[in-house]
Amino acid sequence: MAVTRNSLRGFLAQARSALRTAIDSRQRITIVIGNESADLDSMTSPVLFAYVQSLCPPRNAFTPIYVPVINIPASDLALRPEFSPVLQRANINAAHLLTLDDLPEFSVIQDKLPPENTKWILMDHNALQGPLGKMYSGRVGGVIDHHDDEGTVPADTTPEPRIIERSGSCTSLVTEYCQQRWDVAALSALSSGAAHGQGDSVSEDGATRTLWDAQVAQLGLASILVDTVNLESADKTTDHDSKAVKYLELKIISCPQVASGYDRGRYYKEIDAAKSDFGHLKLHDILRKDYKQWTENGVHLGVSSVVKPLDFLVQKAGSEQNGLGGEEALLESLRSFAQERKLSMYALMTAFSTSANPAFQRELLVWGISGVGISGAKRFASRAQEELGLEDWHFEGVKHPWQARGDEWLGVWRQRQVQHSRKRVAPLLRQALI
Ligand SMILES: [Mn+2]
């Protein structure tokens, strides 16, 4: 049985209470979760999937409701200013989203949320990492993703999807998958509209449902537009993305109230501007804002992605640590960040354009800190140099002035092959550790 037709805000409240009940009375629960970088795509894909799938769950679904969880603590939502304009259009705010804080503490999670009572559906990644992965990877029963297939999700996940395909945004694949169910739910809601009115706390008519759908559609559009640079990046945009935008915009056009305030280009610019609006954040928070970590052969590798140039980070570090030169201060901040996470290898990727130079640019810093991390960093540099177009970082003819300590190894480059995002760089780094 499907959940009652509701707004996204109403649905998230239902999902939260379903999760609480499952924890308090040891009942089954289906959790839909994005990856731990929790970028826009990893927020919108589970929310969209869970919303539509709960309206029209497949036969033999593990539970009738799907609970979307953002893979970070609630306090980290504040590090993502680009969520604000998006949530606003979906008529929710950060407090409505479910996060890791809504799951039991890791020390008692196995007892409160026994693996056999759970099913996990992965969005925007295809291997459950970290402590959740240790506990629940055996319970993964569905995936929609656009990263390389790591082969950890079972080949048959019926009745849930197992879709891993190339596309600009994972949310496009989710939209494509949900389309039919969403249309069925919209139609059945129309035909049962009269019956619904009676005794329901929410008296919904066709116009209300159209508004709810348009709100959810705007949430989905946000990731697709950001991940494809407003569908203008030829490298990133696929058919899945353009079709998904068309479909979601139809939902908007059907709702005059929302349609009048919607302009694709303006919406994209609004989100893009919010994304790099983090001058107020501390360097440490900027580094953990879009961060992913892997363990290969017992060695920890961390990658931070930042949408500002190294220059910006150097200045930020200098202003936070008076007394130290900016470059030295940045390296000190990176060091403490890496130490907290016991990293043997740490990489920092920047991606940005400036008003002086509007072309999209990337820089890459790779730091081998200890043991296998050091040999791995060297191996990465020699193997990846050509593919990524790595050129030693110079500023006005001076090579980057940062010094690694002792045996450590540090590479700082301009990455000329800008089409390669973390989706390509991270696997190269991981392979260098094997
Ligand atoms: Mn993604």
Side-chain angles (χ1 to χ4, degrees):
M1 213 196 59
V3 302
T4 325
R5 192 82 160 96
N6 214 330
S7 63
L8 181 58
R9 183 188 288 228
F11 165 71
L12 291 172
Q14 286 173 305
R16 191 184 301 270
S17 95
L19 179 57
R20 285 215 184 119
T21 308
I23 294 168
D24 293 343
S25 33
R26 306 289 192 274
Q27 286 176 22
R28 284 179 166 201
I29 195 73
T30 306
I31 294 175
V32 189
I33 191 159
N35 73 49
E36 64 199 320
S37 79
D39 64 2
L40 204 51
D41 198 26
S42 261
M43 183 273 279
T44 62
S45 47
V47 171
L48 175 61
F49 179 87
Y51 182 78
V52 177
Q53 198 81 337
S54 302
L55 284 178
C56 192
R59 236 179 248 266
N60 309 323
F62 190 68
T63 59
I65 190 164
Y66 293 70
V67 178
V69 174
I70 317 302
N71 205 341
I72 43 170
S75 56
D76 283 7
L77 290 171
L79 303 180
R80 288 156 180 78
E82 69 276 19
F83 282 18
S84 296
V86 179
L87 299 179
Q88 208 178 339
R89 293 212 179 217
N91 195 31
I92 58 173
N93 58 52
H96 295 109
L97 293 172
L98 285 86
T99 64
L100 295 181
D101 290 8
D102 293 285
L103 297 176
E105 299 258 339
F106 282 125
S107 54
V108 293
I109 196 168
Q110 196 152 14
D111 175 41
K112 301 220 166 187
L113 204 58
E116 64 275 16
N117 280 358
T118 65
K119 179 181 251 188
W120 296 73
I121 301 181
L122 309 183
M123 298 279 130
D124 203 19
H125 59 156
N126 62 71
L128 198 54
Q129 303 283 342
L132 285 178
K134 265 189 200 139
M135 217 72 81
Y136 299 107
S137 3
R139 301 296 305 167
V140 171
V143 63
I144 300 183
D145 186 28
H146 61 152
H147 295 83
D148 291 344
D149 191 345
E150 301 191 29
T152 69
V153 180
D156 182 7
T157 54
T158 323
E160 301 300 343
R162 192 197 193 285
I163 299 170
I164 302 180
E165 269 182 58
R166 201 180 82 82
S167 67
S169 175
C170 177
T171 305
S172 304
L173 300 175
V174 173
T175 305
E176 201 168 37
Y177 172 81
C178 287
Q179 218 159 308
Q180 210 186 350
R181 287 169 196 287
W182 204 351
D183 290 341
V184 168
L187 281 174
S188 70
L190 279 180
S191 58
S192 65
H196 252 285
Q198 301 170 353
D200 258 351
S201 55
V202 187
S203 134
E204 35 143 333
D205 53 18
T208 309
R209 287 189 298 269
T210 312
L211 171 64
W212 292 343
D213 283 349
Q215 289 169 341
V216 175
Q218 288 178 100
L219 183 104
L221 273 164
S223 295
I224 309 176
L225 297 181
V226 165
D227 286 343
T228 62
V229 194
N230 200 22
L231 296 181
E232 282 160 15
S233 161
D235 295 331
K236 294 176 179 169
T237 312
T238 65
D239 254 11
H240 300 296
D241 303 298
S242 350
K243 282 186 186 152
V245 165
K246 224 179 243 169
Y247 176 78
L248 294 172
E249 285 186 344
L250 264 181
K251 300 257 178 222
I252 293 173
I253 294 164
S254 314
C255 177
Q257 200 181 335
V258 172
S260 62
Y262 176 80
D263 173 280
R264 188 195 293 172
R266 238 192 3 240
Y267 188 34
Y268 168 72
K269 278 194 189 133
E270 191 187 345
I271 305 164
D272 192 52
K275 200 175 171 190
S276 49
D277 173 23
F278 53 75
H280 59 287
L281 291 181
K282 293 262 181 219
L283 181 58
H284 191 268
D285 288 333
I286 295 173
L287 296 175
R288 70 189 180 94
K289 188 176 167 338
D290 189 357
Y291 174 74
K292 279 192 183 178
Q293 189 172 318
W294 291 269
T295 303
E296 298 293 350
N297 285 331
V299 170
H300 301 314
L301 155 72
V303 182
S304 292
S305 304
V306 180
V307 295
K308 297 271 191 191
L310 280 173
D311 276 346
F312 170 89
L313 301 176
V314 165
Q315 273 174 34
K316 185 103 195 161
S319 71
E320 281 178 15
Q321 300 179 38
N322 287 330
L324 280 182
E327 283 84 4
E328 209 185 334
L330 178 59
L331 207 53
E332 274 317 298
S333 301
L334 297 179
R335 188 181 296 283
S336 73
F337 188 89
Q339 273 170 355
E340 276 169 30
R341 289 162 180 78
K342 302 191 167 53
L343 303 180
S344 297
M345 194 201 264
Y346 181 37
L348 173 62
M349 299 182 63
T350 72
F352 59 93
S353 58
T354 59
S355 43
N357 183 359
F360 184 68
Q361 303 175 59
R362 288 186 187 276
E363 297 156 320
L364 176 62
L365 177 153
V366 173
W367 189 8
I369 303 168
S370 61
V372 180
I374 297 173
S375 47
K378 292 179 190 165
R379 206 158 28 235
F380 168 83
S382 67
R383 282 187 197 165
Q385 182 161 28
E386 200 179 311
E387 181 183 350
L388 300 180
L390 301 180
E391 283 175 12
D392 258 338
W393 197 95
H394 284 84
F395 183 68
E396 292 174 352
V398 183
K399 201 183 161 194
H400 79 83
W402 311 333
Q403 292 295 328
R405 282 187 200 158
D407 291 342
E408 292 175 356
W409 190 88
L410 179 68
V412 187
W413 302 282
R414 292 198 184 278
Q415 183 190 317
R416 295 299 179 192
Q417 298 300 326
V418 292
Q419 72 275 25
H420 294 307
S421 65
R422 183 169 58 196
K423 259 195 217 76
R424 179 65 191 134
V425 177
L428 287 170
L429 289 164
R430 292 171 67 184
Q431 279 155 22
L433 289 174
I434 298 170

